[in-house]
Amino acid sequence: MDLHFTADHERFRRDLREWLSANLERPWIEEQRDPSNDPDRLFEIRRRWQARLNEAGYLGMDWP
């Protein structure tokens, strides 16, 4: 059994890391601990994040 990543897997990892670096404003734990974020604000933050993931094609992904 070969457990090494293929070139496609490595490309996916690189692309995702680059995308996260460009699109993730700050870690989720910081959002949760921010006293200015009430439950409604956190809900909106999650909705915007899910919309970004969807637009980039990273939401609802499928693996063979």
Side-chain angles (χ1 to χ4, degrees):
M1 178 185 284
D2 182 6
L3 299 177
H4 293 91
F5 290 121
T6 66
D8 286 340
H9 292 137
E10 291 293 348
R11 190 175 315 104
F12 173 79
R13 291 177 70 204
R14 183 194 67 235
D15 292 348
L16 179 59
R17 286 177 186 205
E18 288 174 6
W19 186 87
L20 286 171
S21 177
N23 288 277
L24 188 60
E25 295 173 13
R26 65 182 186 169
W28 174 244
I29 193 72
E30 290 181 20
E31 292 291 358
Q32 288 182 309
R33 291 180 178 164
D34 187 338
S36 67
N37 288 337
D38 63 14
D40 291 333
R41 172 132 169 83
L42 289 172
F43 182 78
E44 287 305 316
I45 290 169
R46 285 192 301 269
R47 283 181 54 128
R48 284 195 314 269
W49 177 244
Q50 289 173 356
R52 280 177 149 172
L53 288 169
N54 184 54
E55 289 168 7
Y58 290 121
L59 194 61
M61 294 180 54
D62 184 8
W63 282 269

mmCIF file of all heavy atoms in Angstrom, residues 19 28 35 37-38 40 42 44 47 51 59:
data_model
loop_
_atom_site.group_PDB
_atom_site.id
_atom_site.type_symbol
_atom_site.label_atom_id
_atom_site.label_comp_id
_atom_site.label_asym_id
_atom_site.label_seq_id
_atom_site.Cartn_x
_atom_site.Cartn_y
_atom_site.Cartn_z
ATOM 1 N N TRP A 19 -5.030 29.513 -0.412
ATOM 2 C CA TRP A 19 -6.355 30.114 -0.338
ATOM 3 C C TRP A 19 -6.688 30.472 1.104
ATOM 4 O O TRP A 19 -7.195 31.570 1.388
ATOM 5 C CB TRP A 19 -7.410 29.161 -0.916
ATOM 6 C CG TRP A 19 -8.752 29.785 -0.996
ATOM 7 C CD1 TRP A 19 -9.257 30.538 -2.022
ATOM 8 C CD2 TRP A 19 -9.777 29.751 0.011
ATOM 9 N NE1 TRP A 19 -10.525 30.965 -1.704
ATOM 10 C CE2 TRP A 19 -10.866 30.492 -0.460
ATOM 11 C CE3 TRP A 19 -9.867 29.163 1.252
ATOM 12 C CZ2 TRP A 19 -12.032 30.661 0.258
ATOM 13 C CZ3 TRP A 19 -11.031 29.331 1.991
ATOM 14 C CH2 TRP A 19 -12.100 30.078 1.495
ATOM 15 N N TRP A 28 -10.561 30.813 14.116
ATOM 16 C CA TRP A 28 -11.919 30.771 14.645
ATOM 17 C C TRP A 28 -11.922 30.943 16.168
ATOM 18 O O TRP A 28 -12.794 31.602 16.733
ATOM 19 C CB TRP A 28 -12.591 29.464 14.247
ATOM 20 C CG TRP A 28 -13.938 29.282 14.862
ATOM 21 C CD1 TRP A 28 -14.310 28.317 15.738
ATOM 22 C CD2 TRP A 28 -15.095 30.105 14.665
ATOM 23 N NE1 TRP A 28 -15.616 28.488 16.102
ATOM 24 C CE2 TRP A 28 -16.121 29.575 15.459
ATOM 25 C CE3 TRP A 28 -15.348 31.238 13.909
ATOM 26 C CZ2 TRP A 28 -17.393 30.144 15.510
ATOM 27 C CZ3 TRP A 28 -16.616 31.807 13.960
ATOM 28 C CH2 TRP A 28 -17.618 31.254 14.751
ATOM 29 N N PRO A 35 -14.813 39.458 22.801
ATOM 30 C CA PRO A 35 -15.998 39.868 23.567
ATOM 31 C C PRO A 35 -17.002 40.690 22.767
ATOM 32 O O PRO A 35 -18.164 40.789 23.146
ATOM 33 C CB PRO A 35 -15.423 40.682 24.736
ATOM 34 C CG PRO A 35 -14.016 40.977 24.394
ATOM 35 C CD PRO A 35 -13.579 40.027 23.327
ATOM 36 N N ASN A 37 -18.115 39.873 19.894
ATOM 37 C CA ASN A 37 -18.897 38.950 19.063
ATOM 38 C C ASN A 37 -19.958 38.238 19.902
ATOM 39 O O ASN A 37 -19.657 37.313 20.645
ATOM 40 C CB ASN A 37 -17.994 37.904 18.404
ATOM 41 C CG ASN A 37 -17.144 38.486 17.311
ATOM 42 O OD1 ASN A 37 -17.480 39.521 16.742
ATOM 43 N ND2 ASN A 37 -16.045 37.841 17.012
ATOM 44 N N ASP A 38 -21.203 38.682 19.764
ATOM 45 C CA ASP A 38 -22.295 37.982 20.430
ATOM 46 C C ASP A 38 -22.734 36.814 19.541
ATOM 47 O O ASP A 38 -22.216 36.651 18.432
ATOM 48 C CB ASP A 38 -23.452 38.941 20.725
ATOM 49 C CG ASP A 38 -24.093 39.520 19.477
ATOM 50 O OD1 ASP A 38 -23.846 39.019 18.371
ATOM 51 O OD2 ASP A 38 -24.862 40.494 19.617
ATOM 52 N N ASP A 40 -25.284 36.254 17.657
ATOM 53 C CA ASP A 40 -25.786 36.650 16.340
ATOM 54 C C ASP A 40 -24.639 37.032 15.408
ATOM 55 O O ASP A 40 -24.636 36.681 14.230
ATOM 56 C CB ASP A 40 -26.771 37.811 16.450
ATOM 57 C CG ASP A 40 -28.070 37.403 17.118
ATOM 58 O OD1 ASP A 40 -28.442 36.208 17.030
ATOM 59 O OD2 ASP A 40 -28.711 38.272 17.736
ATOM 60 N N LEU A 42 -21.508 35.970 15.626
ATOM 61 C CA LEU A 42 -20.784 34.741 15.289
ATOM 62 C C LEU A 42 -21.517 33.949 14.205
ATOM 63 O O LEU A 42 -20.891 33.363 13.325
ATOM 64 C CB LEU A 42 -20.576 33.882 16.533
ATOM 65 C CG LEU A 42 -19.565 34.427 17.539
ATOM 66 C CD1 LEU A 42 -19.592 33.594 18.819
ATOM 67 C CD2 LEU A 42 -18.173 34.455 16.943
ATOM 68 N N GLU A 44 -23.355 35.228 11.815
ATOM 69 C CA GLU A 44 -23.091 35.916 10.543
ATOM 70 C C GLU A 44 -21.666 35.670 10.054
ATOM 71 O O GLU A 44 -21.435 35.518 8.848
ATOM 72 C CB GLU A 44 -23.357 37.412 10.681
ATOM 73 C CG GLU A 44 -24.816 37.761 10.766
ATOM 74 C CD GLU A 44 -25.616 37.208 9.590
ATOM 75 O OE1 GLU A 44 -25.163 37.311 8.438
ATOM 76 O OE2 GLU A 44 -26.701 36.657 9.843
ATOM 77 N N ARG A 47 -21.718 32.285 8.498
ATOM 78 C CA ARG A 47 -22.415 32.311 7.198
ATOM 79 C C ARG A 47 -21.527 32.889 6.098
ATOM 80 O O ARG A 47 -21.469 32.357 4.992
ATOM 81 C CB ARG A 47 -23.703 33.135 7.301
ATOM 82 C CG ARG A 47 -24.815 32.392 7.985
ATOM 83 C CD ARG A 47 -26.049 33.243 8.020
ATOM 84 N NE ARG A 47 -26.378 33.699 6.689
ATOM 85 C CZ ARG A 47 -27.564 33.572 6.120
ATOM 86 N NH1 ARG A 47 -28.539 33.017 6.779
ATOM 87 N NH2 ARG A 47 -27.780 34.023 4.923
ATOM 88 N N ALA A 51 -20.032 30.914 2.815
ATOM 89 C CA ALA A 51 -20.232 31.455 1.469
ATOM 90 C C ALA A 51 -18.900 31.548 0.728
ATOM 91 O O ALA A 51 -18.820 31.211 -0.460
ATOM 92 C CB ALA A 51 -20.906 32.825 1.539
ATOM 93 N N LEU A 59 -16.632 23.790 -0.463
ATOM 94 C CA LEU A 59 -17.742 23.354 0.373
ATOM 95 C C LEU A 59 -18.513 22.256 -0.359
ATOM 96 O O LEU A 59 -18.801 22.372 -1.538
ATOM 97 C CB LEU A 59 -18.660 24.532 0.675
ATOM 98 C CG LEU A 59 -19.681 24.345 1.774
ATOM 99 C CD1 LEU A 59 -18.989 24.072 3.102
ATOM 100 C CD2 LEU A 59 -20.541 25.586 1.896
#
